[in-house]
Amino acid sequence: MNEPVLRLSGIRKAYNPGKPNEVVVLRGADLEVARGEVVALVAPSGAGKSTLLHIAGLLDTPDAGEVAIAGEVMSRQSDRRRTIIRRQEVGFVYQFHHLLPEFTAIENVSLPQRADGAARAEATARAQGLLESVGLGDRASHRPAALSGGEQQRVAFCRAMANRPKLLLADEPTGNLDPATSDTVFGALMALVRETGLSALIATHNLDLAARMDRRVEMRDGGLVPL
Ligand code: ADP
């Protein structure tokens, strides 16, 4: 199948539409992310990156336009189907790790699999494998507070990949880290993405990181243009 993993067509989004405080963020954004492709979404803060990622990840709905994931047009699916796709096909990584503080690294990575019906032993084995692949095999029983910022973020990557999504959406995934740590942690993310062959849309304003992806798009005037 040559269907793109993510297709955004004519996405429009405004906050507080029709009111004096209306903010028009997206004015017809188009984007296709092919299977196995990693695309950088480059834009200054406030341009609408989070809004676009939330719409792409089915956490928000556009005012107009279509989102298709692996060929399924979302506006034609039931709420139940959209929830399943969001849980099984899409992984999210944010600037802040959002790990659950009372759970260990391996438990944090196991939880999405357990929520999706995986048996405990299977979820734990996959979580351990993922942690090992980002160099954290010996940190599995640490709680987030006992991990460095870069380690916390690597655990968050593993959690995002736990259910074998087709699409990874990341919002400034290394934005909270110092430049040297950001560089290695981004390397770990890219290695994991390449190993699993999934597609990714990664927002960043770091042009060095953007240069390490397959393609770059810039958000301009509410649309997306090649960079
Ligand atoms: P970015 O992720 O690029 O920093 P956002 O998508 O968060 O940008 O926001 C884009 C614009 O929309 C900003 O001007 C922001 O203030 C505005 N905005 C975001 N969320 C809301 C909201 N819930 N209500 C009103 N305005 C919002």
Side-chain angles (χ1 to χ4, degrees):
M1 272 216 319
N2 289 326
E3 276 296 348
V5 169
L6 173 66
R7 192 177 70 237
L8 303 175
S9 336
I11 302 292
R12 303 180 72 85
K13 181 75 181 178
Y15 293 106
N16 311 314
K19 303 214 175 100
N21 59 350
E22 177 173 5
V23 185
V24 182
V25 181
L26 301 173
R27 301 167 188 270
D30 299 303
L31 178 69
E32 287 193 358
V33 182
R35 194 162 296 271
E37 191 180 34
V38 179
V39 178
L41 173 61
V42 181
S45 181
K49 293 187 299 282
S50 307
T51 301
L52 187 88
L53 289 170
H54 284 158
I55 289 173
L58 316 180
L59 294 167
D60 200 355
T61 48
D63 299 332
E66 285 290 2
V67 179
I69 294 185
E72 281 187 72
V73 177
M74 288 305 131
S75 63
R76 294 191 203 134
Q77 312 301 325
S78 63
D79 283 349
R80 186 163 175 274
R81 178 74 191 138
R82 273 196 294 268
T83 304
I84 290 171
I85 291 174
R86 187 168 60 226
R87 205 165 61 202
Q88 296 185 341
E89 311 288 21
V90 184
F92 277 97
V93 177
Y94 299 93
Q95 187 166 350
F96 179 72
H97 59 77
H98 294 297
L99 297 172
L100 297 173
E102 66 276 37
F103 291 97
T104 63
I106 198 163
E107 287 167 345
N108 268 284
V109 180
S110 303
L111 282 169
Q113 304 172 77
R114 300 281 288 147
D116 204 41
R120 181 185 298 273
E122 184 194 330
T124 303
R126 175 158 173 79
Q128 181 68 32
L130 282 165
L131 290 170
E132 279 166 14
S133 71
V134 296
L136 293 179
D138 59 351
R139 298 286 194 278
S141 60
H142 289 222
R143 290 209 167 85
L147 296 169
S148 72
E151 289 170 344
Q152 290 166 345
Q153 207 55 347
R154 279 186 276 163
V155 176
F157 300 162
C158 294
R159 181 187 50 188
M161 315 247 182
N163 281 339
R164 297 185 174 82
K166 291 194 177 86
L167 175 67
L168 178 79
L169 298 171
D171 197 352
E172 303 271 2
T174 62
N176 266 339
L177 306 172
D178 64 75
T181 310
S182 164
D183 205 62
T184 31
V185 168
F186 182 77
L189 176 64
M190 283 300 277
L192 203 53
V193 167
R194 295 306 190 196
E195 194 181 298
T196 49
L198 89 175
S199 311
L201 180 60
I202 303 178
T204 182
H205 52 239
N206 181 327
L207 292 177
D208 292 332
L209 297 187
R212 289 159 67 182
M213 302 189 215
D214 298 327
R215 190 157 62 84
R216 287 142 288 283
V217 293
E218 186 181 20
M219 197 164 244
R220 198 182 291 165
D221 303 327
L224 294 170
V225 292
L227 179 67

